[in-house]
Amino acid sequence: MNKKLLILVLTLFSLNACQSQTKDKTEMYETESKEYASESGNFIIDFPMKPTLRVIDNQIGMDKYKIYNYQAVAGQQMIYMAEYIDFPEYIIESWDKEQLYSQILNTLEAKYRGVFKLTKKEPIEQHNLRGIYFEYSLNPDANIPRGVKGAIKGAIYFVGNRSYQLTYLGEEQELIEKFLSSFRLIK
């Protein structure tokens, strides 16, 4: 009887261990093409290395939501980011796309405390997604911290109530275009 109980307990521990090792759907995984995919984000993108995930709690009014931010730091002046946010439905329904894009761009500028200013904003279409492409340059009127160089380049897409924001921060390099143009939905 004790032997059967021991086998049962060991089996239960083994099953629990297997369950805890299942893939977290928010984590990115490397695809066969050496790009990275997010199952929960429903997208694929070509990061230069495996990104780390930060989940940020945010709130608009009484509505709480999460920002899923994937980041790959390739050097002090080379940061690649892809994030998605599922906004509350009423926000998407009450604002037009232009207002949503403007709000995200204003938030991005505020995040960097005016060190960067918007210098380019234009429509973009790739992989059956329509959005905007943007660029920020260093603001000559701002107090630029020592060592800060480069620019910010990125794109924003909306699919239903979800926004996707792709951003590169740093000095100019050839991988930026490859990173931004590789973004596509899984389904």
Side-chain angles (χ1 to χ4, degrees):
M1 186 71 172
N2 284 340
K3 203 177 221 181
K4 287 183 181 179
L5 182 60
L6 179 61
I7 290 172
L8 179 63
V9 169
L10 288 174
T11 302
L12 288 174
F13 279 132
S14 296
L15 287 174
N16 282 340
C18 289
Q19 286 177 343
S20 66
Q21 291 177 2
T22 59
K23 182 176 69 172
D24 180 354
K25 292 182 188 227
T26 60
E27 292 292 329
M28 292 202 103
Y29 60 92
E30 192 171 11
T31 66
E32 289 181 13
S33 63
K34 302 298 182 201
E35 295 173 299
Y36 291 92
S38 166
E39 188 174 337
S40 66
N42 191 37
F43 69 91
I44 297 172
I45 192 164
D46 192 5
F47 275 99
M49 64 189 59
K50 185 170 182 173
T52 58
L53 169 64
R54 285 184 342 165
V55 179
I56 304 160
D57 291 320
N58 212 341
Q59 187 169 344
I60 295 177
M62 298 301 290
D63 294 311
K64 295 180 180 182
Y65 60 94
K66 295 186 181 303
I67 300 171
Y68 294 88
N69 177 280
Y70 300 92
Q71 215 175 93
V73 179
Q76 188 175 7
Q77 296 289 328
M78 295 179 283
I79 302 169
Y80 298 84
M81 293 178 276
E83 68 181 28
Y84 69 92
I85 302 168
D86 291 321
F87 284 103
E89 287 289 333
Y90 75 90
I91 290 176
I92 301 299
E93 292 169 359
S94 63
W95 289 11
D96 64 34
K97 286 271 170 69
E98 192 58 39
Q99 289 174 310
L100 291 166
Y101 291 137
S102 292
Q103 184 60 44
I104 290 172
L105 293 172
N106 290 339
T107 301
L108 184 61
E109 189 170 321
K111 177 180 175 179
Y112 293 104
R113 296 185 170 97
V115 170
F116 294 94
K117 71 175 187 175
L118 186 63
T119 53
K120 187 174 191 178
K121 174 183 164 189
E122 61 189 27
I124 186 175
E125 186 172 347
Q126 69 181 33
H127 305 286
N128 295 318
L129 292 170
R130 289 184 181 176
I132 61 162
Y133 170 81
F134 61 88
E135 291 182 8
Y136 287 82
S137 299
L138 285 171
N139 184 351
D141 299 328
N143 184 12
I144 300 171
R146 178 179 284 169
V148 174
K149 299 176 188 173
I152 298 173
K153 296 182 178 187
I156 303 168
Y157 302 98
F158 276 92
V159 178
N161 69 320
R162 177 173 284 180
S163 75
Y164 293 98
Q165 183 178 329
L166 317 172
T167 310
Y168 170 79
L169 169 63
E171 296 182 88
E172 189 66 35
Q173 65 160 308
E174 61 189 46
L175 294 177
I176 300 168
E177 180 59 33
K178 183 179 177 188
F179 169 72
L180 294 175
S181 65
S182 69
F183 177 81
R184 61 201 181 278
L185 298 180
I186 294 173
K187 304 172 197 168

